[in-house]
């Protein structure tokens, strides 16, 4: 069968561009064909070549660092030229989140910080040499009581893809303000908690500022768009531990604080 193609000039000749499927092709250029510089082909030129299979591919469509709880019911996995993938589901429980986040060299969950909930072979289907998508229902694969963070690792052939789902509907924005040079003031940390789906500021969320060692430095409770300042809490009392566990570990250089905190306000919302 004839294949439609186009010709693109290159430095030492030309390139053939077309929808070439996997298989063997024969090419013929008749004698007498002239080049752009006036040269002529003295005899016919014939050449056969093969189009091999595309290399396997594997990736999760959702590339955010963390996904909301609702994402674990319909998680898209992209694949190409694979018949099955091995899926491993690990869970970082709430009590291990701080130690998992405090590893600055790697983000993957391991046997020190997580437990294996599932190892399963998942069949996938797709057209040959065409990218396809399989939707994973993670909620059906793990116990409904699972809390903390879930990491999915899919592997097929020589390809591996990972995605992490933080089982919360809250996201956290933290900004650190350094003290002016020569000042006796301490650095400040301001925190805002947003709804992961709506991005609306949340009130009444108790936040703990925790060192890598596990020591709680300070706590505060958010107040909508005003957030809160955990570096200098003003309301003492007993709080439920809600460590900063959404967009990165919290850290602090000082275990005490003094003076008043003055946050910087902007007319435009933070994005």
């Amino acid at each position: 069968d004839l294949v439609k193609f186009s010709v693109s000039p290159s430095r030492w000749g030309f390139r053939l561009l077309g929808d070439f499927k996997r298989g063997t092709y024969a090419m013929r250029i008749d004698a007498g064909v002239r080049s752009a510089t006036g040269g002529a082909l003295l005899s016919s030129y014939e050449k056969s070549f093969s189009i091999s299979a595309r290399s396997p591919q594997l990736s999760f469509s959702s590339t955010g660092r963390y996904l909301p709880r609702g994402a674990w019911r319909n998680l898209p996995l992209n694949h190409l030229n694979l018949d099955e993938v091995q899926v491993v589901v690990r869970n970082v429980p709430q009590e291990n989140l701080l130690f998992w986040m405090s590893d600055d060299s790697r983000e993957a969950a391991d046997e020190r910080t997580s437990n294996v909930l599932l190892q399963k072979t998942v069949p996938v289907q797709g057209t040959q040499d065409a990218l396809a998508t399989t939707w994973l229902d993670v909620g059906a694969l793990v116990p409904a009581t699972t809390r903390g963070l879930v990491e999915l690792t899919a592997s097929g052939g020589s390809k591996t893809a990972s995605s992490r789902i933080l089982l919360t509907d809250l996201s956290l924005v933290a900004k650190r303000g350094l003290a002016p040079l020569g000042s006796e003031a301490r650095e400040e940390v301001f925190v805002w908690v947003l709804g992961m789906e709506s991005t609306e500021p949340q009130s009444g969320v108790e936040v703990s500022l925790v060192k890598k060692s596990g020591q709680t430095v300070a706590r505060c409770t958010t107040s909508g768009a005003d957030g809160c300042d955990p570096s200098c809490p003003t309301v003492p009392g007993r709080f439920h531990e809600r460590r900063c566990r959404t967009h990165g570990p919290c850290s602090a250089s000082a275990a005490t604080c003094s003076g008043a905190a003055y946050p910087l306000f902007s007319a435009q919302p933070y994005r």
Side-chain angles (χ1 to χ4, degrees), residues 171-175 189-193 207-209 220 222-231 244 250:
S171 62
L172 180 123
V173 176
K175 290 188 176 183
V189 179
F190 301 104
V191 178
W192 294 264
V193 175
V207 180
S208 296
L209 188 63
C220 70
T222 61
S223 178
D226 293 333
C228 68
D229 175 13
S231 58
C244 303
C250 295

Side-chain angles (χ1 to χ4, degrees), residues 88-93 100 103 106-116 149-153 162-164:
V88 178
V89 181
R90 283 185 170 272
N91 172 231
V92 180
W100 170 76
D103 188 346
R106 62 197 302 267
E107 191 170 338
D110 56 23
E111 64 275 6
R112 186 180 70 89
T113 58
S114 64
N115 302 311
V116 176
L149 179 137
V150 172
E151 179 188 76
L152 286 88
T153 301
S162 296
S163 184
R164 298 171 187 89

Side-chain angles (χ1 to χ4, degrees), residues 125-142:
Q125 297 180 349
T127 304
Q128 191 178 76
D129 292 327
L131 194 65
T133 301
T134 295
W135 299 87
L136 300 179
D137 185 354
V138 186
L141 300 178
V142 301

Side-chain angles (χ1 to χ4, degrees), residues 65-210:
R65 187 177 182 187
Y66 301 121
L67 301 174
R69 178 185 294 270
W72 75 338
R73 289 293 181 184
N74 220 15
L75 188 64
L77 176 66
N78 296 331
H79 49 86
L80 184 146
N81 287 345
L82 291 171
D83 297 323
E84 62 181 24
V85 296
Q86 307 295 323
V87 176
V88 178
V89 181
R90 283 185 170 272
N91 172 231
V92 180
Q94 288 179 291
E95 58 270 20
N96 283 356
L97 282 173
L98 174 65
F99 305 102
W100 170 76
M101 288 189 294
S102 62
D103 188 346
D104 296 330
S105 60
R106 62 197 302 267
E107 191 170 338
D110 56 23
E111 64 275 6
R112 186 180 70 89
T113 58
S114 64
N115 302 311
V116 176
L117 298 183
L118 175 75
Q119 291 181 332
K120 183 177 181 179
T121 300
V122 178
V124 294
Q125 297 180 349
T127 304
Q128 191 178 76
D129 292 327
L131 194 65
T133 301
T134 295
W135 299 87
L136 300 179
D137 185 354
V138 186
L141 300 178
V142 301
T145 56
T146 303
R147 297 293 183 269
L149 179 137
V150 172
E151 179 188 76
L152 286 88
T153 301
S155 58
S158 60
K159 303 299 181 180
T160 301
S162 296
S163 184
R164 298 171 187 89
I165 303 175
L166 192 64
L167 302 182
T168 180
D169 293 323
L170 301 176
S171 62
L172 180 123
V173 176
K175 290 188 176 183
R176 175 187 292 177
L178 299 179
L181 293 177
S183 171
E184 296 183 358
R186 299 183 182 274
E187 67 177 28
E188 301 167 339
V189 179
F190 301 104
V191 178
W192 294 264
V193 175
L194 311 176
M196 190 170 286
E197 297 286 354
S198 66
T199 69
E200 291 295 328
Q202 304 294 305
S203 298
V205 180
E206 295 159 357
V207 180
S208 296
L209 188 63
V210 185

Side-chain angles (χ1 to χ4, degrees), residues 30 239 266:
D30 294 332
F239 293 86
S266 172

